[in-house]
């Protein structure tokens, strides 16, 4: 069973529907004490880091996520919250995956980075199985994780940044696999098989 | 490289997709879900749904079809129609929409853009602008309530001023509908789009006038827009999305192929 951590953010239904299209029925979970009963967990996120992080801590998720020992996937802001800290609102993250979230330096390109872009796999991992450099996924963000040792796949928009990161049983995707057509479905299937 | 987006637009009225010419004479094109699924499977990069009678009838769009769309497609979509408050927007986003687009309600109360930005983030807030080129004065003027020919009217804004204003208030994307071109399939208004592109730091989506594949190449290469929106050419199968994508690629436009 997959738990979708209910932080009250707007894209929970999108994530739920994406798993349902793959034939699994996730549970939207509001009680942190129940988290360890699930085989997989997803931490979605849309909005402002400051607000989302505050909500996560107030609702008691920090400890439950820290103690979770099965695969957990953060999506977009959910991924960013798993990292050390974020420049958006100068907020401290959960510190589970190494790296800071900083403003994406887009140069003379428009910001936010919004739309379909290629990802380049740099490290073999069950999560990136079957993904090639022609594959595109859907991004919407203006803050990003700099490429480091946790990076499984990267993307470039003004600067290189991490598209997929992982450490131990925790992983994060900066883009929206739930909105990334067949490539996204492949990635979510990989997550279920991880 | 970031792909240029191809965005079919589905005008919704009484639960069906309709299409008019120059915003008038609506005819039924088909079922919302069938068309949404078809376009996403064909490789559309995003879809936009406008419930065209909502603003005119002073009500929020019907949320039921929004949820059905979210269940059935796996690409991002934007929803518009009578969204007048943070509460309205929250209802639409909760159903699974990725963005909300506001047009007439933003003209009535521009602070709405800032309120939506502060609550949901810039990436969610699209502002649609209906811009009419007035030949007599040589100026681009913003219109409102264009969903109904009897309610449509000129606003106090020139297009350039309004584009600046909505960006200052926190809009994350602008869809510029060039009204003179709408539905006539003679190509995008490159001259207007080029001028407005220079004023936009945020993504700009061209709307109105697509008639053939080359029109898309021209609007991306000449006006440097981030996306191109079209309706009738897709609804009437004048242009098929997989062929269009290949044509873009052959003409060196960054695109997402889905074969």
């Amino acid at each position: 069973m997959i738990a979708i951590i209910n932080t009250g953010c707007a894209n929970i239904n999108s994530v739920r529907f994406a798993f349902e299209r793959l034939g699994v029925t996730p549970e939207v979970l509001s009680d942190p004490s129940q988290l360890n009963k699930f085989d997989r967990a997803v931490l979605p996120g849309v909005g402002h880091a400051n607000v989302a992080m505050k909500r996560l801590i107030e609702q008691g998720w920090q400890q439950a996520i820290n103690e979770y020992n099965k695969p957990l996937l953060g999506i977009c802001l959910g991924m960013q919250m798993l990292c050390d800290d974020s420049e958006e609102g100068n907020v401290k993250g959960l510190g589970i995956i190494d790296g800071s979230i900083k403003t994406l330096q887009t140069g003379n390109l428009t910001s936010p980075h919004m739309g379909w872009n290629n990802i380049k796999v740099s490290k073999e991992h069950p999560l990136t199985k079957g993904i090639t450099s022609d594959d595109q996924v859907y991004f919407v963000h203006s803050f990003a994780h700099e490429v480091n040792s946790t990076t499984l796949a990267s993307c470039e928009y003004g600067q290189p940044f991490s598209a997929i990161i992982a450490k131990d049983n925790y992983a994060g995707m900066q883009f929206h696999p739930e909105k990334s057509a067949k490539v996204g479905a492949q990635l979510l299937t990989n997550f279920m098989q991880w | 490289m970031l792909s240029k987006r191809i965005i079919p637009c589905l005008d919704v009225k009484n639960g069906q997709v309709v299409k008019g010419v120059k915003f008038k004479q609506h005819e039924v094109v088909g079922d919302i879900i069938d068309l949404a699924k078809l376009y996403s499977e064909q490789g559309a990069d995003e879809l936009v749904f406008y419930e065209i009678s909502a603003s005119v009838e002073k009500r929020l769009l019907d949320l039921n079809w929004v949820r059905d769309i979210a269940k059935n497609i796996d690409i991002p979509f934007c929803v518009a129609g009578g969204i007048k408050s943070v509460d309205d927007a929250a209802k639409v986003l909760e159903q699974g929409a990725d963005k909300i687009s506001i047009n007439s309600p933003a003209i009535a109360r521009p602070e709405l853009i800032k309120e939506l930005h502060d609550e949901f983030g810039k990436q969610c807030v699209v502002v649609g602008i209906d811009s009419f080129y007035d030949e007599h004065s040589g100026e681009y003027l913003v219109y409102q309530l264009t969903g109904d020919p009897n309610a449509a009217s000129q606003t106090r804004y020139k297009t350039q001023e309004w584009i600046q204003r909505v960006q200052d208030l926190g809009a994350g994307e602008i869809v510029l509908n060039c009204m003179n071109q709408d539905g006539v399939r003679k190509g995008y208004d490159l001259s207007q789009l080029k001028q407005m592109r220079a004023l936009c730091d945020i993504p700009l989506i061209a709307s109105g006038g697509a008639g053939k594949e080359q029109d898309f190449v021209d609007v991306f290469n000449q006006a440097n827009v981030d996306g191109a929106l079209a309706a009738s050419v897709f609804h009437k199968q004048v242009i098929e999305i997989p062929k269009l994508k290949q044509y873009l690629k052959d003409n060196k436009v960054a695109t997402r192929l889905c074969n």
Side-chain angles (χ1 to χ4, degrees):
Chain A
M1 273 285 276
I2 298 179
I4 299 176
I5 296 174
N6 186 4
T7 52
C9 77
N11 70 335
I12 283 180
N13 273 329
S14 303
V15 174
R16 179 155 72 90
F17 296 151
F19 281 107
E20 285 176 359
R21 284 193 294 272
L22 296 172
V24 286
T25 310
E27 187 170 323
V28 178
L29 186 68
S30 302
D31 178 1
S33 71
Q34 302 295 309
L35 185 65
N36 60 11
K37 295 182 180 159
F38 291 82
D39 313 317
R40 295 282 184 283
V42 179
L43 177 62
V46 167
H48 197 282
N50 211 344
V51 179
M53 198 62 214
K54 203 172 152 209
R55 208 182 282 162
L56 200 67
I57 290 168
E58 277 173 6
Q59 295 173 352
W61 285 104
Q62 185 161 23
Q63 193 189 350
I65 292 172
N66 268 319
E67 289 171 357
Y68 193 68
N69 56 14
K70 284 158 281 186
L72 182 145
L73 175 66
I75 295 175
C76 199
L77 182 58
M79 162 194 134
Q80 297 184 355
M81 291 193 291
L82 295 175
C83 300
D84 291 329
D85 46 59
S86 174
E87 241 177 43
E88 188 182 24
N90 285 317
V91 61
K92 243 181 111 56
L94 295 171
I96 290 170
I97 300 179
D98 306 323
S100 296
I101 306 303
K102 293 183 176 157
T103 306
L104 186 66
Q105 301 299 325
T106 56
N108 52 8
L109 302 170
T110 53
S111 181
H113 175 218
M114 173 144 61
W116 297 80
N117 208 332
N118 296 90
I119 54 173
K120 197 175 148 208
V121 175
S122 50
K123 207 188 273 183
E124 259 193 56
H125 191 280
L127 272 180
T128 56
K129 204 179 91 188
I131 302 301
T132 72
S133 59
D134 289 331
D135 287 333
Q136 296 193 15
V137 290
Y138 185 75
F139 287 92
V140 186
H141 63 121
S142 42
F143 291 83
H145 177 274
E146 284 176 313
V147 174
N148 69 12
S149 61
T150 66
T151 306
L152 301 183
S154 61
C155 179
E156 188 151 352
Y157 189 72
Q159 63 162 88
F161 64 91
S162 300
I164 308 177
I165 54 176
K167 189 184 177 188
D168 305 328
N169 58 311
Y170 299 95
M173 298 182 185
Q174 178 57 68
F175 51 89
H176 289 274
E178 76 278 16
K179 293 283 177 175
S180 294
K182 282 182 190 154
V183 179
Q186 172 73 51
L187 289 162
L188 293 178
T189 305
N190 289 348
F191 171 64
M192 288 188 292
Q193 291 168 356
W194 177 21
Chain B
M1 188 126 109
L2 184 66
S3 291
K4 298 293 188 183
R5 282 177 271 156
I6 296 296
I7 310 172
C9 174
L10 294 84
D11 287 346
V12 178
K13 195 176 185 182
N14 302 325
Q16 283 181 302
V17 177
V18 297
K19 180 60 197 164
V21 176
K22 286 202 178 183
F23 286 91
K24 296 174 187 172
Q25 304 149 8
H26 295 114
E27 57 182 89
V28 173
V29 179
D31 177 74
I32 309 177
I33 306 296
D34 291 348
L35 274 173
K37 278 175 84 166
L38 177 72
Y39 291 145
S40 51
E41 281 160 15
Q42 285 184 338
D45 298 304
E46 194 172 318
L47 298 176
V48 175
F49 299 88
Y50 283 103
E51 190 161 301
I52 52 174
S53 43
S55 255
V56 175
E57 292 167 12
K58 296 190 168 57
R59 59 171 175 82
L60 179 62
L61 56 102
D62 177 4
L63 295 169
N64 292 318
W65 60 258
V66 179
R67 194 176 185 83
D68 287 341
I69 299 288
K71 282 185 181 171
N72 280 285
I73 68 171
D74 54 9
I75 58 168
F77 70 100
C78 176
V79 169
I83 297 166
K84 290 190 294 295
S85 65
V86 164
D87 280 355
D88 286 348
K91 285 179 198 155
V92 175
L93 293 169
E94 270 164 29
Q95 305 302 316
D98 300 274
K99 308 176 191 179
I100 37 144
S101 182
I102 52 171
N103 188 331
S104 307
I107 291 163
R109 202 170 65 80
E111 310 76 54
L112 175 60
I113 298 169
K114 186 176 186 314
E115 291 166 17
L116 294 172
H117 165 277
D118 292 350
E119 183 70 22
F120 305 108
K122 191 174 179 169
Q123 79 289 339
C124 274
V125 187
V126 180
V127 176
I129 301 177
D130 292 324
S131 177
F132 183 79
Y133 179 66
D134 182 49
E135 280 181 17
H136 300 292
S137 63
E139 282 180 316
Y140 295 105
L141 306 170
V142 177
Y143 272 64
Q144 65 177 343
L145 299 171
T146 53
D148 175 355
N150 299 319
S153 62
Q154 188 187 321
T155 69
R156 60 191 183 279
Y157 296 106
K158 288 179 189 158
T159 305
Q160 286 94 331
E161 304 168 349
W162 185 231
I163 284 181
Q164 203 54 59
R165 182 91 195 274
V166 305
Q167 286 187 94
D168 292 345
L169 286 164
E173 180 164 277
I174 290 172
V175 175
L176 187 66
N177 186 59
C178 308
M179 290 175 70
N180 311 66
Q181 248 71 12
D182 187 68
V184 296
R185 297 195 217 151
K186 289 190 173 160
Y188 289 96
D189 187 342
L190 298 175
S191 154
Q192 177 173 189
L193 287 160
K194 259 188 250 183
Q195 286 183 52
M196 304 309 166
R197 167 81 283 175
L199 304 174
C200 280
D201 300 323
I202 55 175
L204 177 68
I205 310 298
S207 166
K212 55 185 187 302
E213 290 173 346
Q214 185 63 37
D215 294 338
F216 290 87
V217 172
D218 291 343
V219 79
F220 289 130
N221 285 345
Q222 294 181 38
N224 194 29
V225 294
D226 299 273
L229 185 144
S232 64
V233 285
F234 298 131
H235 298 337
K236 294 188 189 286
Q237 293 151 5
V238 175
I239 293 178
E240 288 174 26
I241 295 166
K243 283 186 190 158
L244 171 60
K245 291 287 193 81
Q246 188 60 51
Y247 189 78
L248 291 175
K249 185 167 194 265
D250 295 344
N251 284 277
K252 310 256 182 302
V253 175
T255 191
R256 179 177 70 105
L257 296 180
C258 307
N259 305 321

